Amino acid sequence: MTTSDTSTRSVVVEKEYPHPPEKVWRALTESSLIEQWLMKNDFKPIAGHSFSLRREPMPNWNGVIDCQVVTVEPCKTLSYTWGALGLGTVVTFTLTATDAGTHVRMEQSGFHADQEANYKGAKYGWQNFLGNLERVVGGLV
C-alpha cells in the first residue's frame, strides 16, 4: 500500500532591518546588489522573467538555480520560483514598513516530505543570506 503525502513545508525567516523599505527593495531587486548577498544572477524585477542564480559547482550539483519572477510589487512583495536539485519551491519576500525601518519576511515554500536535506539546507542558508542582505542594505546610500 502506498500513500502519497501531498503536504509541503516552508522555511520562514523574519528580520527587522533599521532601513526604509526602498533600500531593502533595491538590495532585493538590483542584480549587482543581489550578487553581494545571495549569488551571481541575471535577475530583472519583471514578472515572468526567467533568470538563474549561480555559485561554485559542488559534487552532485552544477551550482545553478533556475528561477522565474512571479510577483513584483515595488517595496512590498517579490516572489520567484527556485528550481535546483529536484526542488520546485517559491521564494517570497514581504516588506512591511515599521517605525524602526522594515520588517522583512522571507518564505521558501513547497518542500515535500522527501526533501528533508533540502529543507534543512534552506533553513541554514537563508539565515546566512538574510544576514548578508542586512550588511548590503546597511552599506547603501
Side-chain angles (χ1 to χ4, degrees):
M1 179 169 131
T2 58
T3 56
S4 62
D5 183 359
T6 56
S7 65
T8 61
R9 291 191 291 172
S10 296
V11 169
V12 176
V13 179
E14 298 188 62
K15 288 192 178 282
E16 185 85 26
Y17 293 171
H19 307 286
E22 293 75 17
K23 278 178 99 171
V24 178
W25 184 256
R26 276 184 57 204
L28 290 175
T29 59
E30 291 182 20
S31 181
S32 61
L33 296 176
I34 296 167
E35 182 174 348
Q36 291 177 41
W37 68 269
L38 186 58
M39 291 177 224
K40 292 181 181 174
N41 65 88
D42 53 350
F43 177 85
K44 289 187 175 74
I46 300 165
H49 174 69
S50 293
F51 67 101
S52 61
L53 297 168
R54 298 174 303 285
R55 63 183 314 150
E56 289 298 313
M58 305 160 80
N60 304 316
W61 183 46
N62 65 2
V64 177
I65 300 166
D66 296 309
C67 306
Q68 185 172 22
V69 179
V70 178
T71 307
V72 179
E73 292 179 63
C75 300
K76 290 188 175 140
T77 309
L78 173 67
S79 69
Y80 44 83
T81 60
W82 180 284
L85 298 171
L87 281 184
T89 58
V90 175
V91 172
T92 303
F93 291 93
T94 307
L95 308 183
T96 307
T98 65
D99 291 342
T102 305
H103 177 263
V104 177
R105 181 182 194 275
M106 185 293 311
E107 178 176 5
Q108 185 172 6
S109 59
F111 291 95
H112 294 279
D114 62 349
Q115 296 173 321
E116 185 66 21
N118 303 89
Y119 177 78
K120 285 182 176 173
K123 278 180 80 166
Y124 172 81
W126 283 111
Q127 291 288 344
N128 288 339
F129 292 145
L130 291 180
N132 293 339
L133 173 63
E134 189 164 13
R135 282 191 289 283
V136 170
V137 173
L140 294 178
V141 224

